[in-house]
Amino acid sequence: MTLTYAGASPGAGVTAVEGLHLTVDRGAFAAVVGPSGCGKSTLMKLATGLVRPTRGRVSVDGTVVEGPVKIAGMAFQNANLLPWRTIRDNVLLPLEIVEPHRRRFRSHRAEYAARADDLLALVGLDGFAERYPWELSGGMQQRTSLCRALIHEPALLMLDEPFAALDAFTREELWCVLRDLWDRIGFTVVLVTHDLREAAFLADTVHVMSARPGRIVAGRAIDLPRPRDLDVCFEPRFVDIVHDLRSRISEVRH
């Protein structure tokens, strides 16, 4: 598929992705890496129906995408929590918007609140439901963001640099949180990241994009056994995978 953003004048448009093709199996964990400006975030917008391709089509779960994908959850680099809402109410926000939960929200609020509390407990935030975002650390806020993305039990989770703003220790801690959530719930994940270690640790397959206009130019299966512990990051075979990904990106940067 191809997406060209219109410019201010005829012929001034920018082609973000061209001839882009990506297939992710149901229940798989895919990562997408590439040089800055290659269209990774555009890919995420296309997959979730936030923008439509200029040419080609997007299909999710066998259905052609014509608008925002209801079965997708999304999390970004910034948690973007609403400061006037409690942590629980931030997590519940998608249920107030997405059908069929929206029409059931008031009558089933207690059920949904219990679901939110269960998710918060899964990510280590048991007891923080009544707190406010400004009372939590950056890592705790990002855990909340993951819960919000998963509260409506999406079949697809799209992650755009979700841990990039965090320190190294917190980032690795949240890799393990995401690993455990994926293993327990079984949703499909597409992770957009600049962090090659993150991609290699979490994903089944890492897809490499070219410089703009972006397209998938390589795919690397990550043949490390699961479940993966952080100690794997220091093993020679893991280091080799990261070096291989880095070299592939270097080849397509220009």
Side-chain angles (χ1 to χ4, degrees), residues 1-2 4 12 20 30 36-37 76 81 86 90-91 183 194-196 198 203 213 237 248:
M1 61 187 161
T2 297
T4 299
L20 175 64
S36 295
F76 304 91
L81 303 179
T86 65
N90 267 284
V91 172
D183 183 63
H194 282 98
D195 190 330
L196 302 183
E198 179 173 287
R237 55 182 174 169
R248 295 187 189 210

Coordinates of all heavy atoms in Angstrom, one line a residue, residues 1-2 4 12 20 30 36-37 76 81 86 90-91 183 194-196 198 203 213 237 248:
M1 N 0.8 -1.2 0.0 CA 0.0 0.0 0.0 C 0.9 1.2 0.0 O 2.1 1.2 0.3 CB -0.9 0.0 1.2 CG -0.2 0.0 2.5 SD -1.4 -0.2 3.9 CE -0.2 -0.7 5.2
T2 N 0.3 2.4 -0.4 CA 1.0 3.6 -0.5 C 0.2 4.7 0.2 O -1.1 4.7 0.1 CB 1.2 4.0 -1.9 OG1 2.1 3.0 -2.6 CG2 1.9 5.4 -2.1
T4 N 0.3 9.0 0.5 CA 0.9 10.3 0.2 C 0.1 11.3 1.0 O -1.1 11.4 0.8 CB 0.9 10.5 -1.3 OG1 1.7 9.5 -1.9 CG2 1.5 11.9 -1.6
A12 N 3.2 19.0 -4.1 CA 4.0 19.2 -2.9 C 3.8 18.2 -1.8 O 4.3 18.3 -0.7 CB 3.8 20.6 -2.3
L20 N 4.2 -0.8 0.6 CA 4.4 -1.4 1.9 C 3.5 -2.6 2.0 O 2.3 -2.5 1.8 CB 4.0 -0.3 3.0 CG 4.0 -0.8 4.4 CD1 5.4 -1.2 4.9 CD2 3.5 0.3 5.4
A30 N 4.9 -8.9 16.7 CA 5.8 -8.4 15.6 C 6.3 -7.0 16.0 O 5.7 -6.2 16.7 CB 5.0 -8.2 14.3
S36 N 14.9 6.9 11.4 CA 13.9 7.9 11.7 C 13.3 8.5 10.4 O 13.9 8.6 9.4 CB 14.7 9.1 12.4 OG 15.2 8.6 13.7
G37 N 12.0 8.7 10.5 CA 11.3 9.2 9.4 C 10.9 8.2 8.3 O 10.4 8.6 7.2
F76 N 1.2 4.9 23.3 CA 2.1 5.7 22.7 C 3.3 6.0 23.6 O 3.3 5.6 24.8 CB 1.5 7.0 22.3 CG 0.3 6.8 21.4 CD1 -1.0 6.7 21.9 CD2 0.5 6.7 20.0 CE1 -2.1 6.5 21.1 CE2 -0.6 6.5 19.1 CZ -1.9 6.4 19.7
L81 N -2.3 10.5 30.1 CA -3.4 10.3 31.1 C -4.1 11.6 31.4 O -3.5 12.6 31.4 CB -2.9 9.6 32.3 CG -2.1 8.3 32.2 CD1 -1.6 7.8 33.5 CD2 -3.0 7.2 31.5
T86 N -9.0 9.6 38.1 CA -8.2 8.6 38.8 C -7.6 7.6 37.9 O -8.0 7.6 36.7 CB -9.1 7.9 39.9 OG1 -10.0 7.1 39.2 CG2 -9.7 8.8 40.8
N90 N -9.0 6.5 34.3 CA -8.3 6.6 33.1 C -8.3 5.3 32.3 O -8.4 5.3 31.1 CB -6.8 7.0 33.4 CG -6.6 8.5 33.3 OD1 -6.5 9.1 32.2 ND2 -6.5 9.2 34.5
V91 N -8.1 4.2 33.0 CA -8.2 2.9 32.4 C -9.5 2.6 31.8 O -9.6 2.0 30.7 CB -7.8 1.8 33.4 CG1 -8.0 0.4 32.8 CG2 -6.4 2.0 33.9
D183 N 1.8 -13.1 27.0 CA 1.7 -14.5 27.2 C 0.4 -14.9 27.9 O -0.1 -16.0 27.6 CB 2.9 -14.9 28.1 CG 3.0 -16.4 28.3 OD1 3.2 -17.1 27.3 OD2 2.9 -16.8 29.5
H194 N 12.5 2.2 18.1 CA 13.9 2.4 17.7 C 14.8 1.6 18.4 O 16.0 1.5 18.0 CB 14.2 3.9 17.9 CG 13.7 4.9 16.9 ND1 12.5 5.6 17.1 CD2 14.1 5.2 15.7 CE1 12.3 6.3 16.0 NE2 13.2 6.1 15.1
D195 N 14.4 0.9 19.5 CA 15.3 0.2 20.4 C 15.4 -1.3 19.9 O 14.4 -2.1 20.0 CB 14.7 0.2 21.8 CG 15.6 -0.4 22.8 OD1 16.4 -1.3 22.5 OD2 15.6 0.1 24.0
L196 N 16.5 -1.6 19.3 CA 16.7 -2.9 18.7 C 16.7 -4.0 19.7 O 16.3 -5.1 19.5 CB 18.0 -2.9 17.8 CG 18.1 -1.9 16.7 CD1 19.3 -2.1 15.9 CD2 16.8 -2.0 15.8
E198 N 15.0 -4.0 22.5 CA 13.6 -4.1 22.9 C 12.9 -5.0 21.8 O 12.1 -5.9 22.2 CB 12.9 -2.7 22.9 CG 11.4 -2.7 23.2 CD 11.0 -1.3 23.4 OE1 11.3 -0.7 24.5 OE2 10.3 -0.7 22.5
A203 N 9.8 -9.6 20.5 CA 9.1 -10.0 19.3 C 9.4 -11.5 18.8 O 10.5 -12.0 19.1 CB 9.4 -9.1 18.1
P213 N 10.4 6.9 1.0 CA 9.1 6.3 1.4 C 9.3 4.9 1.9 O 9.9 4.1 1.3 CB 8.2 6.4 0.1 CG 9.3 6.4 -1.0 CD 10.4 7.1 -0.5
R237 N 24.1 -14.9 21.2 CA 23.2 -15.0 20.1 C 22.2 -13.9 20.0 O 21.8 -13.4 19.0 CB 22.4 -16.4 20.2 CG 21.7 -16.6 21.5 CD 21.0 -17.9 21.5 NE 20.4 -18.2 22.8 CZ 19.5 -19.2 23.0 NH1 19.2 -20.0 22.1 NH2 19.1 -19.4 24.2
R248 N 21.3 -4.1 9.0 CA 20.3 -4.0 8.0 C 19.7 -2.5 7.9 O 19.4 -2.0 6.8 CB 19.2 -5.0 8.3 CG 19.6 -6.4 8.2 CD 18.5 -7.4 8.3 NE 18.9 -8.8 8.4 CZ 18.2 -9.8 8.0 NH1 17.1 -9.6 7.4 NH2 18.7 -11.0 8.1

